Amino acid sequence: MRPDIIDLQAFYGSRQGQLVRRLVGRQIRLLWPDLPGARVLGLGYAVPFLGLLGEASERVCAIMPPAQGVAPWPAQHANQVAMAADGELPLADRSIDRVLLVHALESAEQIRPLLREVWRVLVDGGQAMVVVPNRRGLWCLSEATPFGHGQPFSVRQLKDALRSMLFAPSRTATALYMPPSRSRLLLRTAVAWERIGLRWAQPFAGVLAMTATKQIYAIPSEPAKAKRRQPAYATARVASTTQRVGPQAACADGRWSTNNACSLNRLLSQPLPR
């Protein structure tokens, strides 16, 4: 089940959501430190993090699914958000350099059509980044946050899903080690939780972020057909027959060849010597 657009806006507008945006956004910037001149697309509800990637990018846009709802973004400029189904992105083939999926993969009705469309719109060698709740973390257990909805993933499950759709997973980052609580005390100590978790408890992070590169596989050419070889026993038989016939089977030019029609005709028409 997807979280509603109103709930998403309320979460990221809260103090807890702003902290999540800062901690997760830091890992996104570590994976994609610089995107000069890149065309970036956000799927799901990626707008809280697209501002971090749009500083040096050529163009940034977002697409939200109808089941979630859509809201204009950014507030101070012309709208850059559209609404479309997961398997029907209104973009041309190979038109996007980077795709960021946040609150998208875990809530998708079908994962394969979504990843297939991401693969289609990416340029050859382009990259996608998927941000999903970690199956081993605490954040996937709390429905008070958007990460508690949908299907959580482990690192291996996420890699398998990407590889099955012709993506090559490359780098992984983790974030959100504090409990999913709105307690002011926990929010104040969130940075300390993050430092300890990144050093000692990475498998138990609340969120996984993984980059994957679009793969293009060449179709192998049809192997050349092997030449038919004459069996050894057939060659020996022709040679022995030639010795028995001798020069009587030679052609008019005086040459003998087992592939010569004249030689073969005379060989068949003349009786063998006794």
Side-chain angles (χ1 to χ4, degrees), residues 20-81:
V20 168
R21 177 181 179 273
R22 187 176 68 175
L23 297 178
V24 176
R26 180 186 301 173
Q27 300 304 318
I28 292 176
R29 288 301 303 268
L30 289 176
L31 295 176
W32 284 349
D34 194 13
L35 302 177
R39 292 161 294 182
V40 183
L41 169 66
L43 294 180
Y45 191 74
V47 292
F49 309 99
L50 288 179
L52 305 174
L53 304 175
E55 298 175 358
S57 303
E58 174 190 341
R59 187 175 305 172
V60 178
C61 59
I63 294 179
M64 301 182 185
Q68 169 189 290
V70 63
W73 175 86
Q76 305 298 332
H77 302 281
N79 180 46
Q80 301 178 16
V81 178

Side-chain angles (χ1 to χ4, degrees), residues 2 81 94 100 141 173 200 202 213 256:
R2 288 185 180 272
V81 178
R94 299 187 297 275
L100 176 63
L141 304 177
W200 304 106
Q202 290 191 9
T213 304
W256 168 262

